[in-house]
Amino acid sequence: MANRIVLNEISYHGTGAIQNIKDEVKTRGFKKAFVCSDPDLVKFKVTNKVTDVLDQAGFAYELYSNIKPNPTIENVQTGVAAFKASGADYIIAIGGGSSMDTAKAIGIIIKNPEFEDVRSLEGVAPTKNPCVPIIAVPTTAGTAAEVTINYVITDVEKKRKFVCVDTHDIPVIAVVDPDMMSSMPAGLTASTGMDALTHAIEGYITKGAWEMTDMFHLKAIEIISKNLRGAVANTPEGREGMALGQYIAGMGFSNVGLGIVHSMAHALGAVYDTPHGVANAILLPTVMEFNADATGDKFKYIAKAMGVEGVEQMSQAEYRKAAVDAVKKLSTDVGIPADLKAIVKEEDVTFLAESAVADACAPGNPKDASLEDIIALYRSLM
Ligand SMILES: NC(=O)c1ccc[n+]([C@@H]2O[C@H](COP(=O)([O-])OP(=O)(O)OC[C@H]3O[C@@H](n4cnc5c(N)ncnc54)[C@H](O)[C@@H]3O)[C@@H](O)[C@H]2O)c1
Ligand SMILES: [Fe+2]
């Protein structure tokens, strides 16, 4: 079977990139933007950085900000109604994964109204039409939702986060401007950065990985490992590096899938509202140990990309341990908790594991994980 790669039509990278939005809107003849962002980003004047550009150019827009972290079906449905009332013809998503994912779901439903219940979009949704054109401006580094064909929505009633995979939702334009990320506090920079590292590592060892995605993922692991500490310290180089590294990871994993770190993290997000990056960061080293014997020599290249020296002289057991240790060290250095003790309650473990097994990311894991395996993985961190 042929491999498939889906990417943005155009992407802009680097400080000041948001200025390119003006020409894009003009050239494409867009009339009115539906701006999707979250209330904190509006409050902290991050959203304004982009709406100021629209104001200066005299472009019309309407703001929709009823979006919470781990966005819900309700956030999508009220967004669909607001879009219809707005008379907008394109979307500008400004935010982290939550704003960008909500924008994708809204844009898909507007053009494919038979999916207005939202739940029916789970998995690979058979939509017929491309979504409303989206210009995606990430403010975290991050989910890379600006270049992925995925979005993740929370079903509050069923306590589940579900992943939707659809080539029709790819943002037409990504604007990856590190200045949009500079206001992130250290803890958020650390957790979203570890989400990006998780994408790169899970994408590199996932079942569908191939040469081209390996290239993206190894480069992403290298750039993220080199720059995450600096980004947490808010250095301009660190911010630039993370903006780029997380995007490159997205170019890869969006096209091949992830694994059970994400499946298990989605369950934690749904039940406890755990921030996505925190959940991934805590789970990643433990799941890497579980997966190690199904990854051939790939942990050698992960360790090398993370800057571990002497990898070529190491035995298989040594380089596998070195890769896991490098992840643990980075996670500790940026202040991520080492376990799930403060998060998971014993009585929820079976439900969490059942959700993780049913998650769309699970089949991509390099090693098949049973319900019992996943229960044991959660327990090992409690
Ligand atoms: N689409 C995908 O491919 C994909 C991949 C991974 C994760 N996700 C999903 O994305 C969501 C997580 O997104 P996220 O980690 O980017 O966080 P987020 O969008 O949930 O934002 C978290 C918090 O950080 C704040 N914030 C964001 N940027 C900021 C900035 N520059 N300055 C100050 N505060 C800022 C927000 O206001 C919010 O309160 C989860 O629902 C996750 O499942 C999607
Ligand atoms: Fe993620």
PDB file of all heavy atoms in Angstrom, residues 38 40-41 46 69-71 96-99 101 104 139-140 143 145 148 150-152 161 180-181 183-185 188 192 195 199 253 266 276, ligand 1:
ATOM      1  N   ASP A  38      -9.525  30.905  23.209  1.00  0.00           N
ATOM      2  CA  ASP A  38     -10.139  30.601  24.505  1.00  0.00           C
ATOM      3  C   ASP A  38     -10.129  31.830  25.417  1.00  0.00           C
ATOM      4  O   ASP A  38      -9.411  32.803  25.155  1.00  0.00           O
ATOM      5  CB  ASP A  38      -9.521  29.331  25.131  1.00  0.00           C
ATOM      6  CG  ASP A  38      -8.128  29.525  25.688  1.00  0.00           C
ATOM      7  OD1 ASP A  38      -7.858  30.580  26.297  1.00  0.00           O
ATOM      8  OD2 ASP A  38      -7.308  28.615  25.532  1.00  0.00           O
ATOM      9  N   ASP A  40      -8.945  32.629  28.359  1.00  0.00           N
ATOM     10  CA  ASP A  40      -7.680  33.086  28.971  1.00  0.00           C
ATOM     11  C   ASP A  40      -6.803  33.799  27.949  1.00  0.00           C
ATOM     12  O   ASP A  40      -6.143  34.792  28.258  1.00  0.00           O
ATOM     13  CB  ASP A  40      -6.903  31.907  29.566  1.00  0.00           C
ATOM     14  CG  ASP A  40      -7.528  31.427  30.861  1.00  0.00           C
ATOM     15  OD1 ASP A  40      -8.387  32.159  31.408  1.00  0.00           O
ATOM     16  OD2 ASP A  40      -7.177  30.319  31.322  1.00  0.00           O
ATOM     17  N   LEU A  41      -6.791  33.287  26.741  1.00  0.00           N
ATOM     18  CA  LEU A  41      -5.964  33.914  25.699  1.00  0.00           C
ATOM     19  C   LEU A  41      -6.490  35.299  25.343  1.00  0.00           C
ATOM     20  O   LEU A  41      -5.715  36.201  25.023  1.00  0.00           O
ATOM     21  CB  LEU A  41      -5.911  33.019  24.460  1.00  0.00           C
ATOM     22  CG  LEU A  41      -5.120  31.734  24.662  1.00  0.00           C
ATOM     23  CD1 LEU A  41      -5.335  30.769  23.506  1.00  0.00           C
ATOM     24  CD2 LEU A  41      -3.639  32.034  24.814  1.00  0.00           C
ATOM     25  N   VAL A  46      -3.320  37.577  24.191  1.00  0.00           N
ATOM     26  CA  VAL A  46      -2.576  36.785  23.197  1.00  0.00           C
ATOM     27  C   VAL A  46      -3.373  36.785  21.884  1.00  0.00           C
ATOM     28  O   VAL A  46      -2.822  37.027  20.808  1.00  0.00           O
ATOM     29  CB  VAL A  46      -2.342  35.333  23.696  1.00  0.00           C
ATOM     30  CG1 VAL A  46      -1.537  34.536  22.678  1.00  0.00           C
ATOM     31  CG2 VAL A  46      -1.622  35.349  25.050  1.00  0.00           C
ATOM     32  N   PRO A  69     -10.078  24.115  28.011  1.00  0.00           N
ATOM     33  CA  PRO A  69      -9.064  23.089  27.772  1.00  0.00           C
ATOM     34  C   PRO A  69      -9.731  21.713  27.792  1.00  0.00           C
ATOM     35  O   PRO A  69     -10.668  21.510  28.578  1.00  0.00           O
ATOM     36  CB  PRO A  69      -8.106  23.245  28.961  1.00  0.00           C
ATOM     37  CG  PRO A  69      -8.323  24.632  29.465  1.00  0.00           C
ATOM     38  CD  PRO A  69      -9.769  24.948  29.192  1.00  0.00           C
ATOM     39  N   ASN A  70      -9.283  20.769  26.971  1.00  0.00           N
ATOM     40  CA  ASN A  70      -9.988  19.505  26.748  1.00  0.00           C
ATOM     41  C   ASN A  70     -11.411  19.841  26.276  1.00  0.00           C
ATOM     42  O   ASN A  70     -12.400  19.571  26.971  1.00  0.00           O
ATOM     43  CB  ASN A  70     -10.027  18.626  28.013  1.00  0.00           C
ATOM     44  CG  ASN A  70      -8.638  18.157  28.443  1.00  0.00           C
ATOM     45  OD1 ASN A  70      -7.779  17.842  27.614  1.00  0.00           O
ATOM     46  ND2 ASN A  70      -8.393  18.115  29.742  1.00  0.00           N
ATOM     47  N   PRO A  71     -11.546  20.440  25.100  1.00  0.00           N
ATOM     48  CA  PRO A  71     -12.832  21.004  24.662  1.00  0.00           C
ATOM     49  C   PRO A  71     -13.923  19.951  24.521  1.00  0.00           C
ATOM     50  O   PRO A  71     -13.651  18.792  24.216  1.00  0.00           O
ATOM     51  CB  PRO A  71     -12.503  21.615  23.292  1.00  0.00           C
ATOM     52  CG  PRO A  71     -11.317  20.869  22.813  1.00  0.00           C
ATOM     53  CD  PRO A  71     -10.518  20.525  24.041  1.00  0.00           C
ATOM     54  N   GLY A  96      -4.047  26.956  21.729  1.00  0.00           N
ATOM     55  CA  GLY A  96      -3.414  25.651  21.796  1.00  0.00           C
ATOM     56  C   GLY A  96      -4.276  24.631  21.076  1.00  0.00           C
ATOM     57  O   GLY A  96      -5.181  24.983  20.304  1.00  0.00           O
ATOM     58  N   GLY A  97      -4.018  23.352  21.370  1.00  0.00           N
ATOM     59  CA  GLY A  97      -4.784  22.289  20.730  1.00  0.00           C
ATOM     60  C   GLY A  97      -6.270  22.452  20.952  1.00  0.00           C
ATOM     61  O   GLY A  97      -7.074  22.118  20.070  1.00  0.00           O
ATOM     62  N   SER A  98      -6.657  22.974  22.109  1.00  0.00           N
ATOM     63  CA  SER A  98      -8.096  23.052  22.405  1.00  0.00           C
ATOM     64  C   SER A  98      -8.818  23.993  21.438  1.00  0.00           C
ATOM     65  O   SER A  98      -9.882  23.654  20.919  1.00  0.00           O
ATOM     66  CB  SER A  98      -8.310  23.498  23.857  1.00  0.00           C
ATOM     67  OG  SER A  98      -7.773  22.519  24.720  1.00  0.00           O
ATOM     68  N   SER A  99      -8.253  25.181  21.196  1.00  0.00           N
ATOM     69  CA  SER A  99      -8.900  26.117  20.262  1.00  0.00           C
ATOM     70  C   SER A  99      -8.827  25.593  18.830  1.00  0.00           C
ATOM     71  O   SER A  99      -9.799  25.691  18.072  1.00  0.00           O
ATOM     72  CB  SER A  99      -8.219  27.487  20.323  1.00  0.00           C
ATOM     73  OG  SER A  99      -8.356  28.046  21.600  1.00  0.00           O
ATOM     74  N   ASP A 101      -8.497  22.457  17.776  1.00  0.00           N
ATOM     75  CA  ASP A 101      -9.337  21.267  17.587  1.00  0.00           C
ATOM     76  C   ASP A 101     -10.811  21.653  17.493  1.00  0.00           C
ATOM     77  O   ASP A 101     -11.565  21.111  16.675  1.00  0.00           O
ATOM     78  CB  ASP A 101      -9.138  20.269  18.737  1.00  0.00           C
ATOM     79  CG  ASP A 101      -7.815  19.519  18.617  1.00  0.00           C
ATOM     80  OD1 ASP A 101      -7.063  19.792  17.671  1.00  0.00           O
ATOM     81  OD2 ASP A 101      -7.554  18.646  19.465  1.00  0.00           O
ATOM     82  N   LYS A 104     -11.509  23.012  14.126  1.00  0.00           N
ATOM     83  CA  LYS A 104     -11.600  21.970  13.094  1.00  0.00           C
ATOM     84  C   LYS A 104     -12.979  21.308  13.118  1.00  0.00           C
ATOM     85  O   LYS A 104     -13.606  21.109  12.070  1.00  0.00           O
ATOM     86  CB  LYS A 104     -10.523  20.905  13.327  1.00  0.00           C
ATOM     87  CG  LYS A 104      -9.107  21.361  13.005  1.00  0.00           C
ATOM     88  CD  LYS A 104      -8.142  20.241  13.381  1.00  0.00           C
ATOM     89  CE  LYS A 104      -6.711  20.549  12.970  1.00  0.00           C
ATOM     90  NZ  LYS A 104      -5.796  19.457  13.382  1.00  0.00           N
ATOM     91  N   THR A 139      -0.552  28.803  19.879  1.00  0.00           N
ATOM     92  CA  THR A 139       0.026  29.606  20.969  1.00  0.00           C
ATOM     93  C   THR A 139       0.735  28.725  21.989  1.00  0.00           C
ATOM     94  O   THR A 139       1.261  29.221  22.971  1.00  0.00           O
ATOM     95  CB  THR A 139      -1.073  30.421  21.683  1.00  0.00           C
ATOM     96  OG1 THR A 139      -1.987  29.508  22.313  1.00  0.00           O
ATOM     97  CG2 THR A 139      -1.847  31.308  20.716  1.00  0.00           C
ATOM     98  N   THR A 140       0.689  27.402  21.773  1.00  0.00           N
ATOM     99  CA  THR A 140       1.495  26.488  22.584  1.00  0.00           C
ATOM    100  C   THR A 140       2.423  25.744  21.627  1.00  0.00           C
ATOM    101  O   THR A 140       2.205  25.750  20.417  1.00  0.00           O
ATOM    102  CB  THR A 140       0.623  25.434  23.328  1.00  0.00           C
ATOM    103  OG1 THR A 140      -0.092  24.645  22.362  1.00  0.00           O
ATOM    104  CG2 THR A 140      -0.357  26.086  24.278  1.00  0.00           C
ATOM    105  N   THR A 143       0.886  20.822  20.479  1.00  0.00           N
ATOM    106  CA  THR A 143       0.083  19.749  19.877  1.00  0.00           C
ATOM    107  C   THR A 143       0.326  19.592  18.385  1.00  0.00           C
ATOM    108  O   THR A 143       0.061  18.549  17.820  1.00  0.00           O
ATOM    109  CB  THR A 143      -1.426  20.035  20.051  1.00  0.00           C
ATOM    110  OG1 THR A 143      -1.751  21.210  19.288  1.00  0.00           O
ATOM    111  CG2 THR A 143      -1.788  20.279  21.506  1.00  0.00           C
ATOM    112  N   ALA A 145      -1.471  20.826  16.266  1.00  0.00           N
ATOM    113  CA  ALA A 145      -2.795  20.683  15.635  1.00  0.00           C
ATOM    114  C   ALA A 145      -2.898  21.532  14.372  1.00  0.00           C
ATOM    115  O   ALA A 145      -3.732  21.261  13.513  1.00  0.00           O
ATOM    116  CB  ALA A 145      -3.899  21.049  16.623  1.00  0.00           C
ATOM    117  N   THR A 148      -1.917  18.952  11.752  1.00  0.00           N
ATOM    118  CA  THR A 148      -2.381  17.568  11.819  1.00  0.00           C
ATOM    119  C   THR A 148      -3.790  17.425  11.231  1.00  0.00           C
ATOM    120  O   THR A 148      -4.516  18.404  11.106  1.00  0.00           O
ATOM    121  CB  THR A 148      -2.407  17.016  13.271  1.00  0.00           C
ATOM    122  OG1 THR A 148      -3.472  17.616  13.996  1.00  0.00           O
ATOM    123  CG2 THR A 148      -1.087  17.242  13.966  1.00  0.00           C
ATOM    124  N   ASN A 150      -5.946  15.617  12.795  1.00  0.00           N
ATOM    125  CA  ASN A 150      -6.683  15.084  13.943  1.00  0.00           C
ATOM    126  C   ASN A 150      -7.287  16.200  14.765  1.00  0.00           C
ATOM    127  O   ASN A 150      -6.780  17.315  14.778  1.00  0.00           O
ATOM    128  CB  ASN A 150      -5.739  14.340  14.908  1.00  0.00           C
ATOM    129  CG  ASN A 150      -4.741  13.475  14.205  1.00  0.00           C
ATOM    130  OD1 ASN A 150      -5.088  12.796  13.259  1.00  0.00           O
ATOM    131  ND2 ASN A 150      -3.496  13.508  14.652  1.00  0.00           N
ATOM    132  N   TYR A 151      -8.330  15.871  15.498  1.00  0.00           N
ATOM    133  CA  TYR A 151      -8.794  16.725  16.582  1.00  0.00           C
ATOM    134  C   TYR A 151      -9.397  15.834  17.657  1.00  0.00           C
ATOM    135  O   TYR A 151      -9.804  14.707  17.390  1.00  0.00           O
ATOM    136  CB  TYR A 151      -9.771  17.812  16.099  1.00  0.00           C
ATOM    137  CG  TYR A 151     -10.944  17.339  15.283  1.00  0.00           C
ATOM    138  CD1 TYR A 151     -12.192  17.169  15.863  1.00  0.00           C
ATOM    139  CD2 TYR A 151     -10.813  17.075  13.917  1.00  0.00           C
ATOM    140  CE1 TYR A 151     -13.283  16.754  15.112  1.00  0.00           C
ATOM    141  CE2 TYR A 151     -11.901  16.663  13.165  1.00  0.00           C
ATOM    142  CZ  TYR A 151     -13.118  16.493  13.765  1.00  0.00           C
ATOM    143  OH  TYR A 151     -14.189  16.069  13.012  1.00  0.00           O
ATOM    144  N   VAL A 152      -9.375  16.351  18.886  1.00  0.00           N
ATOM    145  CA  VAL A 152      -9.763  15.533  20.034  1.00  0.00           C
ATOM    146  C   VAL A 152     -10.833  16.288  20.820  1.00  0.00           C
ATOM    147  O   VAL A 152     -10.623  17.430  21.206  1.00  0.00           O
ATOM    148  CB  VAL A 152      -8.546  15.255  20.949  1.00  0.00           C
ATOM    149  CG1 VAL A 152      -8.896  14.196  21.990  1.00  0.00           C
ATOM    150  CG2 VAL A 152      -7.324  14.816  20.142  1.00  0.00           C
ATOM    151  N   LYS A 161     -12.595  11.093  26.000  1.00  0.00           N
ATOM    152  CA  LYS A 161     -12.085  11.988  24.958  1.00  0.00           C
ATOM    153  C   LYS A 161     -12.015  11.144  23.707  1.00  0.00           C
ATOM    154  O   LYS A 161     -11.532  10.014  23.756  1.00  0.00           O
ATOM    155  CB  LYS A 161     -10.674  12.468  25.309  1.00  0.00           C
ATOM    156  CG  LYS A 161     -10.662  13.678  26.202  1.00  0.00           C
ATOM    157  CD  LYS A 161      -9.250  14.141  26.463  1.00  0.00           C
ATOM    158  CE  LYS A 161      -8.785  15.145  25.431  1.00  0.00           C
ATOM    159  NZ  LYS A 161      -7.559  15.854  25.861  1.00  0.00           N
ATOM    160  N   MET A 180       3.882  34.193  19.589  1.00  0.00           N
ATOM    161  CA  MET A 180       2.554  33.845  20.112  1.00  0.00           C
ATOM    162  C   MET A 180       2.672  32.923  21.334  1.00  0.00           C
ATOM    163  O   MET A 180       1.709  32.732  22.069  1.00  0.00           O
ATOM    164  CB  MET A 180       1.728  33.139  19.027  1.00  0.00           C
ATOM    165  CG  MET A 180       1.372  33.988  17.831  1.00  0.00           C
ATOM    166  SD  MET A 180       0.373  35.430  18.225  1.00  0.00           S
ATOM    167  CE  MET A 180      -1.170  34.704  18.786  1.00  0.00           C
ATOM    168  N   MET A 181       3.855  32.330  21.516  1.00  0.00           N
ATOM    169  CA  MET A 181       4.041  31.346  22.590  1.00  0.00           C
ATOM    170  C   MET A 181       4.795  31.923  23.780  1.00  0.00           C
ATOM    171  O   MET A 181       4.925  31.281  24.823  1.00  0.00           O
ATOM    172  CB  MET A 181       4.825  30.140  22.030  1.00  0.00           C
ATOM    173  CG  MET A 181       4.105  29.461  20.887  1.00  0.00           C
ATOM    174  SD  MET A 181       5.237  28.656  19.749  1.00  0.00           S
ATOM    175  CE  MET A 181       4.098  28.123  18.468  1.00  0.00           C
ATOM    176  N   SER A 183       4.234  34.096  25.952  1.00  0.00           N
ATOM    177  CA  SER A 183       3.532  34.396  27.204  1.00  0.00           C
ATOM    178  C   SER A 183       3.195  33.140  28.001  1.00  0.00           C
ATOM    179  O   SER A 183       2.629  33.235  29.093  1.00  0.00           O
ATOM    180  CB  SER A 183       2.237  35.152  26.887  1.00  0.00           C
ATOM    181  OG  SER A 183       1.479  34.414  25.944  1.00  0.00           O
ATOM    182  N   MET A 184       3.531  31.967  27.474  1.00  0.00           N
ATOM    183  CA  MET A 184       3.220  30.740  28.226  1.00  0.00           C
ATOM    184  C   MET A 184       4.013  30.695  29.517  1.00  0.00           C
ATOM    185  O   MET A 184       5.237  30.875  29.495  1.00  0.00           O
ATOM    186  CB  MET A 184       3.616  29.497  27.404  1.00  0.00           C
ATOM    187  CG  MET A 184       2.562  28.963  26.488  1.00  0.00           C
ATOM    188  SD  MET A 184       2.981  27.287  25.967  1.00  0.00           S
ATOM    189  CE  MET A 184       4.338  27.555  24.851  1.00  0.00           C
ATOM    190  N   PRO A 185       3.362  30.413  30.652  1.00  0.00           N
ATOM    191  CA  PRO A 185       4.134  30.214  31.880  1.00  0.00           C
ATOM    192  C   PRO A 185       4.996  28.949  31.787  1.00  0.00           C
ATOM    193  O   PRO A 185       4.754  28.093  30.923  1.00  0.00           O
ATOM    194  CB  PRO A 185       3.057  30.063  32.961  1.00  0.00           C
ATOM    195  CG  PRO A 185       1.760  29.884  32.268  1.00  0.00           C
ATOM    196  CD  PRO A 185       1.922  30.321  30.846  1.00  0.00           C
ATOM    197  N   LEU A 188       3.311  25.387  31.725  1.00  0.00           N
ATOM    198  CA  LEU A 188       2.594  25.099  30.480  1.00  0.00           C
ATOM    199  C   LEU A 188       3.585  24.843  29.342  1.00  0.00           C
ATOM    200  O   LEU A 188       3.392  23.950  28.515  1.00  0.00           O
ATOM    201  CB  LEU A 188       1.665  26.269  30.136  1.00  0.00           C
ATOM    202  CG  LEU A 188       0.769  26.107  28.914  1.00  0.00           C
ATOM    203  CD1 LEU A 188      -0.265  25.003  29.116  1.00  0.00           C
ATOM    204  CD2 LEU A 188       0.059  27.421  28.564  1.00  0.00           C
ATOM    205  N   THR A 192       3.398  21.210  27.512  1.00  0.00           N
ATOM    206  CA  THR A 192       3.066  21.157  26.086  1.00  0.00           C
ATOM    207  C   THR A 192       4.296  20.711  25.279  1.00  0.00           C
ATOM    208  O   THR A 192       4.171  20.004  24.284  1.00  0.00           O
ATOM    209  CB  THR A 192       2.525  22.510  25.569  1.00  0.00           C
ATOM    210  OG1 THR A 192       3.422  23.561  25.935  1.00  0.00           O
ATOM    211  CG2 THR A 192       1.157  22.820  26.168  1.00  0.00           C
ATOM    212  N   ASP A 195       4.455  17.068  25.434  1.00  0.00           N
ATOM    213  CA  ASP A 195       3.462  16.508  24.498  1.00  0.00           C
ATOM    214  C   ASP A 195       4.112  16.377  23.114  1.00  0.00           C
ATOM    215  O   ASP A 195       4.011  15.339  22.457  1.00  0.00           O
ATOM    216  CB  ASP A 195       2.230  17.428  24.448  1.00  0.00           C
ATOM    217  CG  ASP A 195       1.139  16.945  23.494  1.00  0.00           C
ATOM    218  OD1 ASP A 195       1.021  15.725  23.285  1.00  0.00           O
ATOM    219  OD2 ASP A 195       0.383  17.799  22.979  1.00  0.00           O
ATOM    220  N   HIS A 199       4.778  13.064  20.859  1.00  0.00           N
ATOM    221  CA  HIS A 199       4.382  12.871  19.452  1.00  0.00           C
ATOM    222  C   HIS A 199       5.559  12.331  18.643  1.00  0.00           C
ATOM    223  O   HIS A 199       5.412  11.418  17.840  1.00  0.00           O
ATOM    224  CB  HIS A 199       3.935  14.200  18.820  1.00  0.00           C
ATOM    225  CG  HIS A 199       2.713  14.766  19.440  1.00  0.00           C
ATOM    226  ND1 HIS A 199       2.432  16.111  19.445  1.00  0.00           N
ATOM    227  CD2 HIS A 199       1.679  14.166  20.093  1.00  0.00           C
ATOM    228  CE1 HIS A 199       1.279  16.312  20.070  1.00  0.00           C
ATOM    229  NE2 HIS A 199       0.808  15.154  20.476  1.00  0.00           N
ATOM    230  N   PHE A 253       3.678  12.575  12.831  1.00  0.00           N
ATOM    231  CA  PHE A 253       2.687  11.709  13.509  1.00  0.00           C
ATOM    232  C   PHE A 253       1.288  11.830  12.923  1.00  0.00           C
ATOM    233  O   PHE A 253       0.514  10.865  12.925  1.00  0.00           O
ATOM    234  CB  PHE A 253       2.681  11.937  15.030  1.00  0.00           C
ATOM    235  CG  PHE A 253       1.813  13.077  15.534  1.00  0.00           C
ATOM    236  CD1 PHE A 253       0.454  12.881  15.733  1.00  0.00           C
ATOM    237  CD2 PHE A 253       2.356  14.315  15.827  1.00  0.00           C
ATOM    238  CE1 PHE A 253      -0.353  13.921  16.221  1.00  0.00           C
ATOM    239  CE2 PHE A 253       1.565  15.352  16.304  1.00  0.00           C
ATOM    240  CZ  PHE A 253       0.208  15.162  16.500  1.00  0.00           C
ATOM    241  N   HIS A 266      -5.493  10.369  27.034  1.00  0.00           N
ATOM    242  CA  HIS A 266      -6.861  10.833  26.721  1.00  0.00           C
ATOM    243  C   HIS A 266      -7.830  10.420  27.830  1.00  0.00           C
ATOM    244  O   HIS A 266      -8.709  11.190  28.222  1.00  0.00           O
ATOM    245  CB  HIS A 266      -7.321  10.272  25.369  1.00  0.00           C
ATOM    246  CG  HIS A 266      -6.582  10.868  24.201  1.00  0.00           C
ATOM    247  ND1 HIS A 266      -6.330  10.191  23.038  1.00  0.00           N
ATOM    248  CD2 HIS A 266      -6.017  12.099  24.037  1.00  0.00           C
ATOM    249  CE1 HIS A 266      -5.655  10.975  22.206  1.00  0.00           C
ATOM    250  NE2 HIS A 266      -5.451  12.134  22.792  1.00  0.00           N
ATOM    251  N   HIS A 276      -3.314  17.762  28.918  1.00  0.00           N
ATOM    252  CA  HIS A 276      -2.862  16.712  27.999  1.00  0.00           C
ATOM    253  C   HIS A 276      -1.343  16.468  28.079  1.00  0.00           C
ATOM    254  O   HIS A 276      -0.884  15.331  28.149  1.00  0.00           O
ATOM    255  CB  HIS A 276      -3.284  17.117  26.578  1.00  0.00           C
ATOM    256  CG  HIS A 276      -2.847  16.188  25.522  1.00  0.00           C
ATOM    257  ND1 HIS A 276      -3.363  14.926  25.383  1.00  0.00           N
ATOM    258  CD2 HIS A 276      -1.914  16.327  24.542  1.00  0.00           C
ATOM    259  CE1 HIS A 276      -2.770  14.328  24.353  1.00  0.00           C
ATOM    260  NE2 HIS A 276      -1.897  15.155  23.824  1.00  0.00           N
TER     261      HIS A 276
HETATM  262  N1  LIG B   1      -5.095  17.878  17.012  1.00  0.00           N
HETATM  263  C1  LIG B   1      -4.071  17.165  17.413  1.00  0.00           C
HETATM  264  O1  LIG B   1      -3.372  16.577  16.604  1.00  0.00           O
HETATM  265  C2  LIG B   1      -3.756  17.107  18.868  1.00  0.00           C
HETATM  266  C3  LIG B   1      -2.549  16.551  19.281  1.00  0.00           C
HETATM  267  C4  LIG B   1      -2.278  16.510  20.642  1.00  0.00           C
HETATM  268  C5  LIG B   1      -3.199  17.012  21.543  1.00  0.00           C
HETATM  269  N2  LIG B   1      -4.384  17.537  21.121  1.00  0.00           N
HETATM  270  C6  LIG B   1      -5.385  18.076  22.067  1.00  0.00           C
HETATM  271  O2  LIG B   1      -5.084  19.446  22.319  1.00  0.00           O
HETATM  272  C7  LIG B   1      -5.527  19.798  23.639  1.00  0.00           C
HETATM  273  C8  LIG B   1      -4.387  20.382  24.440  1.00  0.00           C
HETATM  274  O3  LIG B   1      -3.891  21.538  23.814  1.00  0.00           O
HETATM  275  P1  LIG B   1      -2.674  22.373  24.435  1.00  0.00           P
HETATM  276  O4  LIG B   1      -1.817  21.469  25.208  1.00  0.00           O
HETATM  277  O5  LIG B   1      -2.078  23.133  23.336  1.00  0.00           O
HETATM  278  O6  LIG B   1      -3.374  23.335  25.494  1.00  0.00           O
HETATM  279  P2  LIG B   1      -4.801  24.075  25.512  1.00  0.00           P
HETATM  280  O7  LIG B   1      -5.166  24.585  24.186  1.00  0.00           O
HETATM  281  O8  LIG B   1      -5.769  23.146  26.185  1.00  0.00           O
HETATM  282  O9  LIG B   1      -4.494  25.308  26.479  1.00  0.00           O
HETATM  283  C9  LIG B   1      -4.218  25.073  27.856  1.00  0.00           C
HETATM  284  C10 LIG B   1      -4.235  26.395  28.617  1.00  0.00           C
HETATM  285  O10 LIG B   1      -3.099  27.150  28.237  1.00  0.00           O
HETATM  286  C11 LIG B   1      -3.465  28.481  27.962  1.00  0.00           C
HETATM  287  N3  LIG B   1      -2.530  29.043  26.942  1.00  0.00           N
HETATM  288  C12 LIG B   1      -2.356  28.583  25.684  1.00  0.00           C
HETATM  289  N4  LIG B   1      -1.411  29.317  25.057  1.00  0.00           N
HETATM  290  C13 LIG B   1      -0.988  30.250  25.925  1.00  0.00           C
HETATM  291  C14 LIG B   1      -0.057  31.330  25.850  1.00  0.00           C
HETATM  292  N5  LIG B   1       0.653  31.566  24.754  1.00  0.00           N
HETATM  293  N6  LIG B   1       0.089  32.108  26.953  1.00  0.00           N
HETATM  294  C15 LIG B   1      -0.629  31.882  28.079  1.00  0.00           C
HETATM  295  N7  LIG B   1      -1.516  30.876  28.212  1.00  0.00           N
HETATM  296  C16 LIG B   1      -1.706  30.081  27.150  1.00  0.00           C
HETATM  297  C17 LIG B   1      -4.887  28.390  27.458  1.00  0.00           C
HETATM  298  O11 LIG B   1      -5.565  29.611  27.645  1.00  0.00           O
HETATM  299  C18 LIG B   1      -5.451  27.264  28.316  1.00  0.00           C
HETATM  300  O12 LIG B   1      -5.952  27.766  29.537  1.00  0.00           O
HETATM  301  C19 LIG B   1      -6.044  18.525  24.268  1.00  0.00           C
HETATM  302  O13 LIG B   1      -7.448  18.456  24.186  1.00  0.00           O
HETATM  303  C20 LIG B   1      -5.402  17.444  23.427  1.00  0.00           C
HETATM  304  O14 LIG B   1      -6.097  16.222  23.460  1.00  0.00           O
HETATM  305  C21 LIG B   1      -4.659  17.606  19.800  1.00  0.00           C
END
